[in-house]
Amino acid sequence: MEPPGSSASNNTLSSAGGACPWEVSDRARLCRFLCYGSEGDMYTARGEGHVTMENAAALLSFLQEGRGAEVVEEVMKFAQEGRAVRLGPTFFALALCSQHPELKTRQAAFKALKVVCQDPAQLFSFIQYKKELKEGMKCGIWGRALRKAVSDWYNEQDALSLAAAVTRCKQREGWTHQDLLRLAHTRPASDAVALISKYVTKGWKEVQAAYADKENSDEVIKVLSYLEVVEKVKHSRDETEVCNLIEEHKLEREQLLTTHLKSKQVWRALLKEMPLHSVLKILGKMTSNKLLEPGSLETQTVCDRLQSESALEKAKIHPFSILQASENYKRGQGCQGKTKWEADSNILKALDSAFYKSFVNVEPVGKRLLVAVDVSTSLSSIVPGTAVSTAVAAAAITMIFAQTEADTDVLSFSDGRVVPCSLRPNMTLADVTAELVKFPNSTTDCTLPIAWATGNRKCVDIFIVLTNNPLWTFSASPVETLTKHRLASGANSKLVMCGLTSIGHAIADSEDCGLLNICGFDVGAFSVIRSLAQDLIC
């Protein structure tokens, strides 16, 4: 932590009190784009819009200036360090760089392909973006460099891992492995990759005929055995046999037929090795099909895993993900309303326990935070795209920051009134919710928390304001109030305005790179806030 007035940051204020470079640079716009798919200061939760050229002006500017290698380097950082909330923009940027006129940029992009695209779905997405970017041009996309890069992607994989990957994810975005291997003119670098290539392009029968009487290496034998299991499952109608194969070879549901997934016995076998993230997503479905019944062994197994600190830490599940899963499960029906179930009380208790235990998975940003909850309007709405009420969401967000950051102030505020809240470590989510909304509401003024910090000589690095009211009036703009705090405290303060019920309009428009708008809320919002706090997107 730099002391107040430190000049270590790129966004330091001048000693004369004037505003220094808080304007949004092209690099900041590029990093925002790579992080969440927009160059603007607005992150929309659950917004998975398709990436287009209209969103990538800064990216194009970098390429026009001959700085494509820098773009590729940033793409790799965002992919490797998990900074990209949405991966589409990184594939789009890499695809654009891969067909840039400058040779150095193209070479860097193709070299980065196997680093950025870790699985087949990501590779297919990259290829599709290349196709879309080339539409309208006279040349095709399958030049020598792309053919080599795609061939290297397949050839440099571990053979058994590749066999599992091509059988789990067979196609995406209108592309198949057969398409890519054929168009890339791939020459397998090993006998095992040659076997997988033949399986993908010619089918299992030709593989059997070709390898029946050959002297095969140990690696080829392992791959043959694995593919034989996958084929056996595809043609088996015997539930017991399918379950045995799932358990013995750790097969996943993507490798099964739709008819298999109608069987409780098959789901029971899948559940034993199912990743915890997947378990959370289909708790309702497994309860609906009676796999998870009150008092059953399967229900107890799920509850034990949800309450296991080691399992939660290994899966790196964020507490807000667990909250969303819990509220969805509690609702008793799917998002479309087709699947319905009666929530099991033991599972709900396990989810509640998991919420608190998963706080260890939140990595602190190490900044001075002020989290302020606007109680000027009723917090009884629902966060768009979730089953979570805005009151519970605000309490959960506050708890997560308060319990994982060493220096955090918490406020409730309404027009003309700011109330500091004292959160004890042993408080439950219900306790925190009650604490935040304990005084009457009035009108909204989201500049109050910043003014309170300035008046109380608090140095704040990140203001996080949670409001249920996207339309509000104020005596001064958020940026003006933030600027006053920067000048008074010497801190390089930033402001995150979270409109919990907003579906895409900004709380405050600004060209100040220290301000971020969040519309709605999801797990990705925590990553975006973290990136802003660490100067990664500003």
Side-chain angles (χ1 to χ4, degrees), residues 48-51 87-88 91-92 120-132 135 169-177 179-180:
E48 291 288 348
H50 197 64
V51 185
L87 292 173
F91 306 144
F92 176 92
Q122 296 173 357
L123 179 63
F124 291 143
S125 183
F126 167 78
I127 297 295
Q128 179 60 20
Y129 275 123
K130 278 191 68 69
K131 179 185 176 183
E132 292 173 7
E135 283 181 1
C169 179
K170 298 175 184 177
Q171 60 181 8
R172 288 288 192 284
E173 307 277 355
W175 296 93
T176 67
H177 293 287
D179 294 331
L180 267 55

Side-chain angles (χ1 to χ4, degrees), residues 67-77 94 97 105 108-109 112 116:
R67 300 167 67 188
E70 291 179 52
V71 173
V72 174
E73 187 176 343
E74 286 295 333
V75 168
M76 290 179 67
K77 285 180 183 177
L94 194 66
C97 290
T105 299
V116 176

Side-chain angles (χ1 to χ4, degrees), residues 142-311:
W142 288 95
R144 182 183 301 173
L146 178 60
R147 293 200 302 270
K148 182 181 185 306
V150 171
S151 295
D152 288 346
W153 190 93
Y154 284 97
N155 279 324
E156 293 175 9
Q157 303 271 352
D158 170 77
L160 205 54
S161 297
L162 180 62
V166 300
T167 54
R168 279 198 306 264
C169 179
K170 298 175 184 177
Q171 60 181 8
R172 288 288 192 284
E173 307 277 355
W175 296 93
T176 67
H177 293 287
Q178 184 175 8
D179 294 331
L180 267 55
L181 289 168
R182 175 178 56 82
L183 291 166
H185 304 163
T186 300
R187 293 182 179 179
S190 68
D191 291 339
V193 174
L195 161 61
I196 295 167
S197 178
K198 182 176 283 292
Y199 173 76
V200 167
T201 56
K202 302 295 183 180
W204 177 241
K205 287 186 178 179
E206 288 213 20
V207 167
Q208 283 180 303
Y211 287 84
D213 302 318
K214 288 181 68 174
E215 284 284 334
N216 297 313
S217 66
D218 290 343
E219 186 179 43
V220 168
I221 291 171
K222 286 179 182 178
V223 173
L224 271 172
S225 299
Y226 184 82
L227 294 176
E228 184 178 11
V229 168
V230 172
E231 288 296 314
K232 186 181 288 187
V233 164
K234 282 167 54 178
H235 295 92
S236 177
R237 298 295 182 271
D238 184 332
E239 285 187 358
T240 302
E241 181 182 43
V242 170
C243 292
N244 289 337
L245 291 172
I246 290 170
E247 292 177 13
E248 184 178 352
H249 299 279
K250 295 181 172 53
L251 300 181
E252 300 179 29
R253 58 177 173 159
E254 293 82 3
Q255 295 167 301
L256 307 181
L257 301 177
T258 303
T259 52
H260 293 150
L261 299 178
K262 295 178 181 178
S263 163
K264 281 173 59 175
Q265 192 176 344
V266 168
W267 276 105
R268 192 172 288 118
L270 286 169
L271 186 59
K272 293 180 180 179
E273 295 290 339
M274 188 179 291
L276 206 49
H277 279 287
S278 300
V279 172
L280 287 173
K281 288 180 181 178
I282 59 172
L283 279 173
K285 181 178 180 62
M286 291 190 293
T287 303
S288 175
N289 67 16
K290 306 299 182 184
L291 175 62
L292 298 181
E293 292 188 293
S296 70
L297 177 62
E298 288 73 28
T299 298
Q300 186 58 52
T301 299
V302 167
C303 290
D304 289 344
R305 288 186 67 190
L306 287 172
Q307 295 176 93
S308 166
E309 292 183 6
S310 59

Side-chain angles (χ1 to χ4, degrees), residues 9 24 31 56 110 145 188 255 260 282 316-318 377 385 454 469 499:
S9 170
V24 185
C31 290
F110 285 122
Q255 295 167 301
H260 293 150
I282 59 172
K316 297 180 180 178
I317 298 179
H318 195 281
T377 58
T454 306
N469 185 10

Side-chain angles (χ1 to χ4, degrees), residues 51-91:
V51 185
T52 62
M53 285 287 197
E54 286 73 24
N55 301 327
L59 170 58
L60 291 170
S61 177
F62 267 79
L63 294 177
Q64 288 166 1
E65 293 171 8
R67 300 167 67 188
E70 291 179 52
V71 173
V72 174
E73 187 176 343
E74 286 295 333
V75 168
M76 290 179 67
K77 285 180 183 177
F78 271 81
Q80 288 177 307
E81 297 172 11
R83 285 154 49 184
V85 175
R86 295 178 183 129
L87 292 173
T90 59
F91 306 144

Side-chain angles (χ1 to χ4, degrees), residues 46 323-333 335 381-390 392:
R46 301 174 65 86
L323 175 66
Q324 287 181 291
S326 178
E327 294 298 308
N328 287 338
Y329 184 69
K330 191 184 300 181
R331 182 172 57 180
Q333 67 178 49
C335 294
S381 305
I382 300 296
V383 178
T386 77
V388 185
S389 75
T390 47
V392 171

